[in-house]
Amino acid sequence: MDATGWSTDAATDSALRGHRGASDAAGVAVLGCCAAWSLISATARAGRPEGVLLAVLAVIAGYACGRIGGALVPVAASCAVGLGGLCLALTAPYAAPAPDVVTPLGRVGATAALLALSAGALCCAAWSARQRPLRVVLHLLAACSVVVAAVVDSPAGITVCAGVVLCSLAAARVRSRALGLTGLGLVTAVVAGLGVALAKSALPAGPTASLETWLSHRRILLWRDAVHLAEAHPALGTGPGRFEDLSPTLAQSPLSDGKPHSAVLQMAAEQGLIGVLLLATAFCWLLYVLWRSARSTRVVLAAGAALTAVAAMATVGNALSFTTVTVGVGLLAGISTAEPLTDGPPDEAAAPEFLRDGRG
């Protein structure tokens, strides 16, 4: 193991590359199944799979570009993604609420997701830098995402950006990436579970009233429509893109984006239980490749925090309906799992023990 924390043992490197190659192959298989199932469901139900296919393609393209950039110039690539995301958040049309968006997690949620990804990329750049002063500067730049969120009037963005930066700073004291990634996965599962429970009216009256105040009553009605459609069509769903045609709530509101504002419930309604399982599998694969990454634990957990923030927002909003967000997810995942092409990569902290002995 050299001073920069990358393994220099040839046998170990060869074994690790084999494991990560298998992980990448598994990811291709999972995303391919997501695309194939959307086509199957669309064919059976006369659906419109273009949105799902575009999202899958965006993630794959972003992941490939992130792996290349992260291998060649990890600091520069992370900075480019982070600063690019901040610029898009400031200039994109959905940086401010549109007239047809009356709930806090619509297009503004996409802006918050973009800001979270930007903060995560800049934190990855900070932990990839060799010099401590540059790390401080880049973390301060990541903290500027909170300011940008305030400028575009995104309370959700302020919260998630602050959370990502704090998680990145806390990662300096975390020794087990497996424990950290498990915690991030549980956070996503809890948020998704609360959304489903709220949609099925399974929560007590007090929490239900509080959540409805924050999310809006109309969003809850959309979720309940999605649950009813999922229960009526549990196997194949109603077909991709058909929620807007079948939702009674949307029928009463012509100014709408046609989404239930929950990736989990949208999958359940439009692609059935298999679609939900594939979505969950894709997220679990993402956590797995982060766990197997040769990058330092600090980089991995900073990226994991940002990706978890996006996943959590996707369970209560329509962030994944925007190509800029899905491309950003792929880019950040690729950068944080890239392998070095030189003997002296910039990560200071050594990769954790499991990279040497195979244990988590």
Side-chain angles (χ1 to χ4, degrees):
M1 186 74 65
D2 68 5
T4 60
W6 293 81
S7 174
T8 56
D9 181 80
T12 301
D13 282 349
S14 177
L16 292 175
R17 290 179 193 278
H19 283 302
R20 288 193 287 270
S23 300
D24 289 342
V28 171
V30 170
L31 294 176
C33 287
C34 290
W37 181 250
S38 70
L39 290 173
I40 293 171
S41 179
T43 302
R45 302 295 189 187
R48 301 180 291 275
E50 296 84 2
V52 177
L53 296 177
L54 179 60
V56 171
L57 180 60
V59 171
I60 293 174
Y63 186 73
C65 292
R67 287 290 290 265
I68 295 171
L72 294 174
V73 282
V75 178
S78 300
C79 285
V81 172
L83 295 176
L86 293 180
C87 291
L88 281 175
L90 286 169
T91 60
Y94 55 82
D100 62 322
V101 179
V102 295
T103 51
L105 292 172
R107 295 185 179 182
V108 182
T111 302
L114 198 58
L115 289 168
L117 291 170
S118 300
L122 290 169
C123 288
C124 288
W127 289 127
S128 298
R130 292 176 183 270
Q131 298 81 12
R132 185 176 297 274
L134 182 56
R135 289 183 171 184
V136 174
V137 170
L138 289 172
H139 266 119
L140 289 175
L141 191 57
C144 288
S145 61
V146 178
V147 178
V148 174
V151 170
V152 299
D153 193 22
S154 174
I158 294 173
T159 302
V160 295
C161 288
V164 168
V165 174
L166 290 175
C167 286
S168 176
L169 295 175
R173 297 185 176 276
V174 176
R175 294 293 176 264
S176 171
R177 71 172 64 182
L179 184 60
L181 291 173
T182 299
L184 293 174
L186 288 176
V187 168
T188 305
V190 168
V191 174
L194 284 175
V196 174
L198 185 59
K200 293 179 69 67
S201 303
L203 294 178
T208 297
S210 299
L211 290 172
E212 282 195 16
T213 300
W214 180 55
L215 295 167
S216 83
H217 181 64
R218 180 176 178 276
R219 187 182 300 267
I220 306 305
L221 291 178
L222 289 173
W223 290 0
R224 289 171 181 166
D225 288 349
V227 168
H228 293 154
L229 291 173
E231 291 174 344
H233 307 277
L236 291 172
T238 61
R242 296 201 63 214
F243 178 80
E244 60 181 319
D245 301 328
L246 302 174
S247 168
T249 303
L250 289 179
Q252 301 171 10
S253 177
L255 291 177
S256 172
D257 59 4
K259 309 292 184 183
H261 290 257
S262 170
V264 174
L265 293 176
Q266 182 173 353
M267 275 291 186
E270 296 184 346
Q271 298 187 47
L273 292 178
I274 294 179
V276 175
L277 289 175
L278 287 173
L279 181 65
T281 302
F283 182 68
C284 290
W285 166 77
L286 189 59
L287 293 179
Y288 177 75
V289 293
L290 286 173
W291 178 64
R292 297 300 310 183
S293 172
R295 304 297 301 274
S296 72
T297 295
R298 298 169 180 179
V299 171
V300 165
L301 292 183
L307 294 170
T308 297
V310 174
M313 284 186 289
T315 63
V316 293
N318 66 338
L320 296 184
S321 298
F322 294 83
T323 305
T324 49
V325 175
T326 49
V327 169
V329 167
L331 283 169
L332 184 57
I335 288 172
S336 58
T337 58
E339 297 185 23
L341 296 183
T342 64
D343 292 332
D347 284 336
E348 177 185 273
E353 292 182 1
F354 78 84
L355 289 177
R356 298 193 296 273
D357 58 22
R359 294 190 298 271

